[in-house]
C-alpha cells in the first residue's frame, strides 16, 4: 500500500514536470514564431531575399467553423447576435465541405445564464426561482470535471485579460463586459483570467458565480478561473462576520434553508477544484494572494502542481498533507510586505514574514520576490487580494502588480476604480473604470430611474444588489475585512 502511494506520488511528480516543460516549449515556439515574423517583415520591406524564410515559421492549426455570427444593434443601445450556417451560395464542393463540419451546437443552460447577465432587471422572477437554483446546481456538476482536469498551475499565452477580486459586484463585472468583451468573449481575441474572490461582500454573488461558471463551460480553453481566499468554506460560510453579504446567507435567503445549503455546498465543491495559479508567456506568474514558500527541492511551480486536484484548504480534506496545504494557503492568502515589515518583520534570508492578517498567513518581501522570479526566470507577479482605490497598484520595484476589479464594499470611497490588466504580447496595459462611468442597471435609491417603481419593486431589486443605498460608496466600517481574524481560534 505504501509502495503504491509512493508510485502514484512519483507519477504525479513526473506529470507535473512534463507539464511545466511542455509550457516552456510552447512559449519558446511562440517566441520563435514572433521573431521569424519580425525578420520576414523586415527583410520583405527592404526587398531582401530572406523573405522566403517564412516557410520555417511554426504552423498553428485553425479549425474551420461552419457558422457566422451576425451582430444587430438594439434600441436599448445593446446588441444581439444570431448564428447562421455559411455557404448558402457556395459551390457544391465548398458546400459539401462546410456541411461536413461538426455543428458546435448551443448550450441552452449556459446561454440562459448569459442572457440573464446582460440585463438582470428583466429576469427578477427567474433570479429568485427554484429554476435558478437548479441551474446553478447543474452548472456546478458540469463545470466541476472541467476544472478538476486542469493543472493546479495553468499555462497561458497572451493576449490575456487579467481580473482581480469581483466579490459579488455585478455592476463592475458588467462594465468590463460592456467595454472589453462587448461582442461576447467568444468573439474577443485573447484569454480571460480571473484571479479569485468571486463571492462575499457584494449582494450579487450568485449571479457572478453562475455567469463565470457558464463562461467556463462555454469557453473552457479561453476562460480561466483561479481560486481566491473566499473560495473556501471557512470564509464564504462565515455568516457571523459578513451577515447578509456572506455567500452562504445569500444562498439561503434566496432559495431557502435546504436548497440554499445545497447550492452553497455544490459551488464549494467546484471551488475545491479551481486551479491556484497561472503563468502567462512563461514570464508572468498569476495568483490570488502571492508566492508560496518552498516545501521541496523542486521549483515552486512544481510544488503548486503537486497540490491535490481536490483541495478544501480551509478546512482541508483528510488527504491533504500539511506541506501542500501550506502551499495552497500561501497562494490564496499571502500579501506583499509593507515598508515597515520589510525593515523589521521579514526574514532576511527567505524574504518571508508573518502577515498583518494573522491566522498563519504570510507576507513576502523584496528578497522573496527576487528569489522566486530568478528561480523560474519570470519577470512579474500579478495578484489580487488587496483593495486599491486606483484599481491596479504596483510594488516591489515594479515587479508585483495588484489587480482589484471591484470598486465597492471595501472602504475605498466613492472615487474608487475597478481595474484589470491586458497582457498583450510585449506590452501590459491597465484598464480602469472611472468613478464617473454610468452603468445600465444598478441604480442608487435616490435615482430618477426608480421614480416610477413601487416600494416593493425597489426592495426586490435591492435584495439582488440592483439598487444601492443613496450614500453608496462611503466608507462602511461594518465590513472591514480582516479585523476579526486575529481574534478567531481557527487558522483563518
Amino acid at each position: 500500500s505504501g509502495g503504491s502511494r509512493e508510485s502514484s506520488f512519483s507519477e504525479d511528480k513526473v506529470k507535473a514536470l512534463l507539464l511545466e516543460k511542455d509550457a516552456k516549449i510552447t512559449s519558446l515556439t511562440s517566441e520563435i514564431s514572433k521573431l521569424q515574423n519580425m525578420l520576414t517583415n523586415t527583410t520583405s520591406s527592404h526587398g531582401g531575399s530572406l523573405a522566403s524564410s517564412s516557410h520555417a515559421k511554426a504552423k498553428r492549426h485553425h479549425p474551420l467553423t461552419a457558422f457566422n455570427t451576425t451582430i444587430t444593434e438594439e434600441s436599448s443601445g445593446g446588441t444581439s447576435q444570431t448564428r447562421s450556417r455559411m455557404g448558402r451560395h457556395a459551390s457544391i464542393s465548398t458546400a459539401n465541405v462546410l456541411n461536413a463540419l461538426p455543428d458546435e451546437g448551443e448550450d441552452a443552460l449556459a446561454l440562459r445564464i448569459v442572457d440573464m447577465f446582460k440585463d438582470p432587471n428583466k429576469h427578477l422572477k427567474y433570479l429568485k426561482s427554484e429554476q435558478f437554483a437548479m441551474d446553478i446546481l447543474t452548472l456546478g456538476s458540469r463545470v466541476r470535471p472541467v476544472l478538476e482536469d486542469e493543472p493546479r498551475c495553468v499555462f497561458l499565452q497572451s493576449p490575456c485579460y487579467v481580473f482581480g477580486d469581483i466579490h459579488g459586484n455585478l455592476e463592475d463585472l458588467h462594465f468590463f463586459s460592456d467595454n472589453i468583451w462587448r461582442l461576447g468573449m467568444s468573439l474577443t481575441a485573447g484569454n480571460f483570467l480571473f484571479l479569485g474572490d468571486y463571492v462575499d461582500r457584494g449582494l450579487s454573488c450568485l449571479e457572478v458565480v453562475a455567469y463565470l461558471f457558464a463562461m467556463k463551460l462555454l469557453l473552457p480553453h479561453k476562460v480561466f478561473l483561479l481560486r481566491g481566499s473566499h473560495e473556501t468554506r471557512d470564509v464564504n460560510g462565515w455568516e457571523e462576520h459578513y451577515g447578509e453579504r456572506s455567500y452562504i446567507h445569500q444562498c439561503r435567503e434566496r432559495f431557502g434553508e435546504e436548497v440554499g445549503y445545497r447550492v452553497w455546498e455544490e459551488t464549494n465543491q467546484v471551488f475545491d477544484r479551481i486551479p491556484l495559479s497561472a503563468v502567462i508567456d512563461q514570464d508572468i506568474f498569476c495568483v490570488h494572494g502571492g508566492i508560496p514558500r518552498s516545501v521541496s527541492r523542486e521549483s515552486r511551480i512544481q510544488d503548486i502542481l503537486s497540490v491535490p486536484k481536490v483541495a478544501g484548504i480551509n478546512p482541508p480534506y483528510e488527504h491533504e498533507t500539511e506541506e501542500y496545504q501550506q502551499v495552497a494557503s500561501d497562494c490564496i492568502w499571502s500579501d506583499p510586505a509593507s515598508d515597515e515589515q520589510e525593515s523589521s518583520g521579514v526574514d532576511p534570508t527567505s524574504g518571508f514574514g508573518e502577515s498583518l492578517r494573522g491566522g498563519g498567513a504570510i507576507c513576502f518581501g523584496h528578497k522573496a520576490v527576487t528569489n522566486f522570479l530568478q528561480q523560474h526566470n519570470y519577470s512579474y507577479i500579478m495578484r489580487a487580494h488587496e483593495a486599491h482605490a486606483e484599481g491596479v497598484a504596483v510594488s516591489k520595484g515594479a515587479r508585483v502588480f495588484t489587480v482589484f476589479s471591484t470598486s465597492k464594499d471595501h472602504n475605498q470611497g466613492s472615487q474608487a476604480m475597478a481595474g484589470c490588466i491586458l497582457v498583450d504580447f510585449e506590452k501590459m496595459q491597465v484598464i480602469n473604470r472611472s468613478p464617473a462611468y454610468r452603468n445600465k442597471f444598478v441604480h442608487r435609491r435616490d435615482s430618477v430611474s426608480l421614480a416610477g417603481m413601487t416600494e416593493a419593486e425597489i426592495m426586490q431589486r435591492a435584495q439582488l444588489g440592483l439598487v444601492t443605498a443613496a450614500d453608496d460608496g462611503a466608507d462602511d466600517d461594518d465590513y472591514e475585512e480582516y479585523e476579526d481574524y486575529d481574534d478567531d481560534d481557527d487558522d483563518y
Side-chain angles (χ1 to χ4, degrees):
S1 174
S4 173
R5 278 199 302 271
E6 234 175 79
S7 171
S8 175
F9 185 71
S10 177
E11 279 182 27
D12 289 343
K13 281 281 187 183
V14 170
K15 287 178 182 176
L17 185 61
L18 289 173
L19 191 64
E20 188 177 11
K21 297 299 181 187
D22 284 346
K24 287 181 180 178
I25 292 170
T26 302
S27 178
L28 288 170
T29 302
S30 177
E31 189 64 30
I32 290 168
S33 181
K34 290 177 193 174
L35 290 171
Q36 286 174 332
N37 281 333
M38 289 171 61
L39 179 62
T40 301
N41 291 337
T42 302
T43 53
S44 294
S45 63
H46 290 87
S49 60
L50 289 175
S52 61
S53 66
S54 60
H55 73 275
K57 289 186 293 183
K59 183 177 179 179
R60 291 183 65 181
H61 180 56
H62 297 88
L64 181 63
T65 175
F67 292 87
N68 60 41
T69 303
T70 303
I71 312 295
T72 305
E73 187 171 10
E74 297 179 329
S75 57
S76 61
T79 60
S80 62
Q81 301 179 9
T82 53
R83 292 171 77 244
S84 57
R85 186 173 280 276
M86 295 191 299
R88 284 178 297 175
H89 305 293
S91 66
I92 294 175
S93 60
T94 299
N96 287 339
V97 171
L98 292 174
N99 290 333
L101 293 171
D103 185 350
E104 298 169 358
E106 295 187 338
D107 191 308
L109 169 57
L111 292 178
R112 181 158 65 243
I113 298 296
V114 173
D115 193 42
M116 170 278 294
F117 174 77
K118 289 179 180 177
D119 191 348
N121 281 305
K122 291 182 178 178
H123 299 84
L124 296 179
K125 186 177 179 181
Y126 167 67
L127 289 173
K128 301 198 78 173
S129 70
E130 188 174 341
Q131 178 64 58
F132 184 43
M134 294 303 106
D135 284 352
I136 295 175
L137 291 171
T138 304
L139 274 174
S141 66
R142 291 177 59 194
V143 81
R144 203 190 313 157
V146 175
L147 292 163
E148 187 175 343
D149 195 46
E150 292 181 335
R152 300 305 85 187
C153 180
V154 293
F155 298 94
L156 310 176
Q157 297 292 309
S158 61
C160 183
Y161 293 94
V162 182
F163 302 88
D165 297 37
I166 297 171
H167 280 301
N169 184 345
L170 204 60
E171 180 182 340
D172 283 332
L173 186 57
H174 218 279
F175 160 78
F176 294 118
S177 169
D178 287 347
N179 292 278
I180 293 178
W181 61 90
R182 187 168 185 265
L183 296 180
M185 288 183 178
S186 63
L187 298 180
T188 305
N191 295 312
F192 298 87
L193 176 63
F194 295 86
L195 301 182
D197 275 12
Y198 312 115
V199 299
D200 294 327
R201 295 187 164 279
L203 294 175
S204 301
C205 298
L206 287 158
E207 288 79 4
V208 167
V209 166
Y211 178 68
L212 293 177
F213 283 5
M215 295 315 301
K216 181 63 183 175
L217 204 57
L218 288 169
L219 304 167
H221 304 298
K222 192 175 179 70
V223 175
F224 296 90
L225 307 178
L226 299 188
R227 192 172 186 177
S229 53
H230 284 257
E231 280 71 66
T232 59
R233 290 171 181 79
D234 277 359
V235 179
N236 65 47
W238 197 3
E239 190 171 2
E240 296 81 6
H241 181 65
Y242 292 105
E244 67 172 0
R245 294 173 178 267
S246 76
Y247 182 50
I248 193 169
H249 175 89
Q250 292 177 37
C251 291
R252 287 170 168 163
E253 177 72 17
R254 189 82 65 91
F255 305 127
E257 187 72 24
E258 184 180 343
V259 175
Y261 181 82
R262 282 180 60 200
V263 169
W264 178 78
E265 176 57 29
E266 174 60 42
T267 48
N268 271 289
Q269 287 283 335
V270 177
F271 297 159
D272 289 342
R273 291 157 169 81
I274 294 180
L276 293 167
S277 64
V279 178
I280 302 173
D281 293 339
Q282 276 303 114
D283 191 50
I284 303 170
F285 177 72
C286 302
V287 68
H288 178 73
I291 52 181
R293 290 164 288 180
S294 180
V295 297
S296 73
R297 295 181 181 179
E298 308 290 344
S299 71
R300 251 75 67 82
I301 296 298
Q302 288 296 312
D303 289 344
I304 295 171
L305 288 167
S306 298
V307 172
K309 290 204 168 189
V310 180
I313 307 179
N314 308 126
Y317 290 111
E318 287 185 5
H319 68 263
E320 294 175 65
T321 65
E322 187 176 334
E323 291 82 7
Y324 290 104
Q325 187 201 5
Q326 175 186 298
V327 171
S329 294
D330 288 353
C331 285
I332 66 175
W333 280 107
S334 61
D335 294 300
S338 65
D339 290 342
E340 185 179 346
Q341 287 173 306
E342 286 277 14
S343 60
S344 60
V346 168
D347 184 305
T349 304
S350 69
F352 290 99
E354 191 175 321
S355 171
L356 297 175
R357 295 178 188 269
I362 61 163
C363 65
F364 51 93
H366 278 284
K367 176 73 172 175
V369 170
T370 299
N371 289 346
F372 179 82
L373 294 177
Q374 286 180 350
Q375 180 188 32
H376 298 90
N377 196 28
Y378 298 159
S379 299
Y380 303 104
I381 295 167
M382 286 188 184
R383 40 94 61 180
H385 199 39
E386 288 183 295
H388 287 280
E390 58 272 21
V392 175
V394 188
S395 62
K396 304 304 168 198
R399 296 175 297 171
V400 176
F401 293 80
T402 297
V403 190
F404 214 68
S405 299
T406 176
S407 59
K408 301 184 182 304
D409 308 310
H410 286 80
N411 306 320
Q412 299 300 304
S414 60
Q415 296 304 300
M417 295 186 286
C420 75
I421 297 178
L422 167 60
V423 180
D424 190 12
F425 300 108
E426 291 85 15
K427 203 190 308 186
M428 295 186 293
Q429 300 183 75
V430 174
I431 303 169
N432 277 330
R433 173 188 172 172
S434 162
Y437 183 89
R438 295 185 64 184
N439 75 89
K440 296 176 181 176
F441 59 81
V442 178
H443 303 287
R444 295 199 329 174
R445 197 174 181 87
D446 57 357
S447 169
V448 294
S449 302
L450 307 180
M453 293 185 186
T454 65
E455 186 63 24
E457 289 173 328
I458 293 174
M459 282 303 297
Q460 186 181 30
R461 285 164 172 76
Q463 289 171 355
L464 299 175
L466 301 176
V467 173
T468 62
D471 60 348
D472 187 51
D475 286 351
D476 183 355
D477 292 334
D478 290 338
Y479 297 100
E480 185 64 35
E481 186 163 4
Y482 298 101
E483 61 185 1
D484 291 342
Y485 272 102
D486 288 340
D487 301 326
D488 198 275
D489 292 334
D490 294 330
D491 284 343
Y492 296 98

